[in-house]
Amino acid sequence: MSKKRAKAQPKGIDLYLPKPHEAQERVIAESRRFNTVCCGRRWGKSTLGIDRLIQPALAGFPVGWFSPTYKSLGESWREVRQILQPATTSKAEQEHRLELVTGGKVEMWSLDSADLVRGRKYKLAVIDEAALIPNLGDAWQFVIRPTLADMQGGAWFLSTPRGMNFFKTIYDYGQDPLKPDWASWQMPTVTNPFIRPEEIEAARGDMAAAAFSQEFEGSFISWEGSVFRRITDCATGAVQDKPIKNHQYTFGVDWGRSLDYTVTTVIDANERRMVYMDRSNRQDYTLQRGRLAALNQLWQPAVILAESNSIGQPVIEQLLREGLPVVPFMTTNASKAVIIEALALAFERGDITILNESILISELQAFAAEQLPSGLMRYTAPAGQHDDTVISLALAWHAATAEDSGDRMIFSDDPASAEYGLYVPPVQISKY
């Protein structure tokens, strides 16, 4: 990326900033007081934000930068600090504050502690990764917006979208002719000339359509409602009563609790096809272990990926002592997202074949995504419904496809957990 030179008055110090690419220049030219840039990944939003922040600071004004967390703040702070180093007279590393020879001041904040900003005044505020900020509306209205009153300051909201939250609201402000102070743009990744178009097309092939639309096209996607598409297109498989010679099989096991069902799904790893499902409920763990042992003896699976939360580590250890190839899976919101999103992509691309089982199809169709205040997704069945067949299928599919990228990690959020950093060994597919 080319550089442009900016002079820091009054000493005539030369500073070098990345030169905006054409799409960024368009946004700058069309900007108003309050601006929302909804862009695809790697578009250059932080580069644009730093450029916009530095200009009024060099003109002698105080400016503020806001990130969702201190961790996300770090990279931007280092870049701003490096660019402005020749013009910096005072630096407070812990407070993320720079004072410049022009009299301008840069302060950078994490909105983890938004109330600390109260009492400041700024000529400009840049809100980075705005869609990821929990309660962005409150942060803007009660904390950031009042800091702009003294100098009639402006603001830039920069982010890849994350569902229909307050970032979508302020994007709509910019499209509303009745709000002349606001402007907004949707900028897909392809408008960044430094990202190769063929790389973007490769990503399209690797991602579900909705995820690609959000992450690379900067589109607002409602993630509420059904997660899986093309279910009936993929429901063309037939039940097998025994394995095919030289084929490898994987199991996914979702253990039932008091009212839930225990489901074991069998997938032919060679053909990426579901061939059998065992479903039962109201059985104690001794009987459940016995059913799984019988299925193991028949199908001889390479991997049994079994949820460990509900059944507990002692039961997993008993299964291992009995010689079953069990790999425990600790279900957290994060690890569940990994297997569900992989399964959704398989349906999207038609890579999987499932049985035409009414219970399975019903649970797949009802399975929903809910956006949390943090911006992360929670995948679950609607209240009062079951998702046992969905989770079992997702586990079996994950075990069957671990070879695609070598060992794939199944993780727990808790580093103290026995399952933290656990890997599912790749299935060795027989060539025939």
Side-chain angles (χ1 to χ4, degrees), residues 190-201:
V190 72
T191 60
N192 180 352
F194 300 102
I195 303 297
R196 292 181 176 274
E198 57 267 30
E199 174 59 23
I200 297 171
E201 288 306 306

Side-chain angles (χ1 to χ4, degrees), residues 252-264 278-289 291 306-312 315 386-389 391-392 395:
V253 183
D254 183 76
W255 302 100
R257 301 172 181 84
S258 58
L259 298 177
D260 294 332
Y261 291 80
T262 293
V263 180
T264 300
D278 182 72
R279 183 171 178 264
S280 63
N281 76 336
R282 299 184 184 278
Q283 293 185 341
D284 64 31
Y285 284 138
T286 300
L287 288 175
Q288 292 184 47
R289 289 204 323 267
R291 291 177 73 108
E307 183 189 32
S308 62
N309 305 51
S310 56
I311 196 171
V315 179
H386 296 282
D387 63 4
D388 314 288
T389 63
I391 301 304
S392 174
L395 290 168

Side-chain angles (χ1 to χ4, degrees), residues 21-68:
H21 57 64
E22 185 176 348
Q24 292 169 333
E25 288 179 339
R26 175 195 155 192
V27 167
I28 292 169
E30 297 174 358
S31 63
R32 299 178 189 171
R33 183 178 180 188
F34 305 124
N35 305 281
T36 303
V37 184
C38 176
C39 51
R41 298 281 286 275
R42 308 307 304 158
W43 179 79
K45 61 179 176 53
S46 296
T47 300
L48 173 67
I50 290 171
D51 180 271
R52 296 294 83 202
L53 186 82
I54 286 177
Q55 301 298 332
L58 292 178
F61 293 102
V63 295
W65 177 284
F66 301 88
S67 291

Side-chain angles (χ1 to χ4, degrees), residues 49-194:
I50 290 171
D51 180 271
R52 296 294 83 202
L53 186 82
I54 286 177
Q55 301 298 332
L58 292 178
F61 293 102
V63 295
W65 177 284
F66 301 88
S67 291
T69 64
Y70 276 107
K71 183 176 181 180
S72 59
L73 175 65
E75 184 175 350
S76 300
W77 162 249
R78 288 188 290 272
E79 188 168 352
V80 170
R81 182 186 62 192
Q82 180 179 354
I83 291 172
L84 290 177
Q85 190 275 330
T88 299
T89 59
S90 176
K91 176 180 68 176
E93 192 75 32
Q94 294 299 318
E95 291 80 13
H96 299 97
R97 185 178 68 250
L98 301 174
E99 294 182 5
L100 308 181
V101 295
T102 62
K105 180 166 62 176
V106 177
E107 294 183 326
M108 304 184 75
W109 302 91
S110 161
L111 286 172
D112 283 342
S113 308
D115 285 341
L116 296 177
V117 183
R118 294 178 182 273
R120 299 310 202 272
K121 58 182 180 181
Y122 297 125
K123 182 66 173 176
L124 187 81
V126 175
I127 301 90
D128 193 29
E129 300 289 4
L132 299 183
I133 296 170
N135 303 314
L136 173 63
D138 288 346
W140 167 242
Q141 295 170 21
F142 297 114
V143 179
I144 301 172
R145 178 61 179 87
T147 68
L148 307 175
D150 291 71
M151 289 174 276
Q152 295 184 296
W156 288 81
F157 296 84
L158 311 169
S159 191
T160 299
R162 286 293 183 275
M164 304 297 182
N165 50 20
F166 188 75
F167 184 66
K168 174 63 162 61
T169 300
I170 57 177
Y171 175 85
D172 290 342
Y173 288 173
Q175 302 296 305
D176 187 347
L178 298 180
K179 292 186 177 293
D181 282 347
W182 287 83
S184 62
W185 304 263
Q186 183 181 24
M187 287 290 175
T189 305
V190 72
T191 60
N192 180 352
F194 300 102

Side-chain angles (χ1 to χ4, degrees), residues 301-322:
V303 178
I304 300 175
L305 190 55
E307 183 189 32
S308 62
N309 305 51
S310 56
I311 196 171
Q313 192 63 26
V315 179
I316 295 289
E317 291 172 357
Q318 178 63 34
L319 291 167
L320 290 169
R321 284 195 293 270
E322 292 171 1

Side-chain angles (χ1 to χ4, degrees), residues 228-238 271-275 343-357 360-361 364-365 393 397:
F228 302 104
R229 303 198 314 161
R230 301 186 61 202
I231 297 168
T232 55
D233 291 346
C234 298
T236 59
E271 298 185 359
R272 305 298 168 90
R273 181 167 57 91
M274 178 183 176
V275 296
L343 183 61
L345 178 61
F347 277 108
E348 190 80 37
R349 299 171 61 179
D351 289 343
I352 188 172
T353 300
I354 64 170
L355 301 178
N356 189 14
E357 293 278 354
L360 171 62
I361 292 173
L364 284 166
Q365 290 174 336
L393 176 63
W397 178 255

Side-chain angles (χ1 to χ4, degrees), residues 372-383:
L372 302 173
S374 65
L376 298 176
M377 303 306 301
R378 176 167 59 200
Y379 296 100
T380 186

